Amino acid sequence: MSKLARYLQVEDILLAVNVSNKQRLFEQVGRHLQETRQLPGDGVTASLWRRELAASTAIGDGVALPHARLAELDAIHALYLRPQSPMAFAAPDHQPVSDILVLLVPAPADQQHLDLLADTARLFSNPRFRLALLRCKEALQVKQLFDHW
């Protein structure tokens, strides 16, 4: 089981998301968390956008790992999103992004947050994992992949 698996729930796996840019993506994440976790959607969106303005969270190979700290959180939340079409994300390899893993952590962040971010980057740097993820067509399949990888 990946370290990430314990923070990713089936209801937080969104496939074929209809967004055209990062701002719309972050707004979708904010709306989702407001509806499912009663978190302040605007605050989630703003926190993700502030972090993204500092430097792109795209890591290459079609992957982005947006992350932010939120004072309102009492636990780490992870969301996996796959846009309907790959989208520009200012990736270091200039490739569009099709796999997006959002990490939201309680503020202030601690070493656990950094370790989880590093572990997630390692997981997504594995071409076999990315290919297996691409083959997943339903949220439950995605969750099972994270659980058993």
Side-chain angles (χ1 to χ4, degrees):
M1 175 188 287
S2 69
K3 291 179 185 177
L4 179 63
R6 78 178 88 166
Y7 304 110
L8 182 64
Q9 306 305 315
V10 173
E11 60 270 16
D12 294 325
I13 298 170
L14 309 176
L15 305 178
V17 177
N18 187 15
V19 293
S20 57
N21 59 49
K22 291 189 263 189
Q23 183 64 34
R24 298 289 175 255
L25 173 78
F26 298 154
E27 289 169 358
Q28 175 73 25
V29 170
R31 279 192 303 275
H32 175 77
L33 289 172
Q34 186 169 330
E35 293 168 7
T36 61
R37 304 280 190 263
Q38 292 70 49
L39 291 171
D42 291 342
V44 169
T45 300
S47 293
L48 288 168
W49 189 244
R50 267 193 309 277
R51 170 58 190 87
E52 195 66 30
L53 289 175
S56 176
T57 56
I59 62 171
D61 293 320
V63 177
L65 303 176
H67 52 281
R69 296 176 291 218
L70 296 169
E72 300 86 354
L73 288 180
D74 56 3
I76 294 172
H77 288 287
L79 296 87
Y80 171 78
L81 299 98
R82 181 186 299 153
Q84 284 180 347
S85 300
M87 56 190 285
F89 225 93
D93 62 1
H94 307 288
Q95 297 300 308
V97 165
S98 56
D99 291 306
I100 302 162
L101 196 289
V102 176
L103 286 176
L104 299 170
V105 299
D110 59 14
Q111 189 61 42
Q112 180 185 14
H113 163 232
L114 298 175
D115 292 345
L116 183 59
L117 195 56
D119 186 63
T120 302
R122 275 191 299 278
L123 181 66
F124 276 95
S125 70
N126 183 327
R128 287 187 14 219
F129 175 78
R130 290 194 316 273
L131 182 58
L133 188 57
L134 179 64
R135 292 180 178 147
C136 295
K137 303 302 180 200
E138 298 178 12
L140 183 57
Q141 292 173 313
V142 172
K143 174 63 173 147
Q144 289 171 339
L145 179 65
F146 278 96
D147 285 350
H148 300 293
W149 192 264

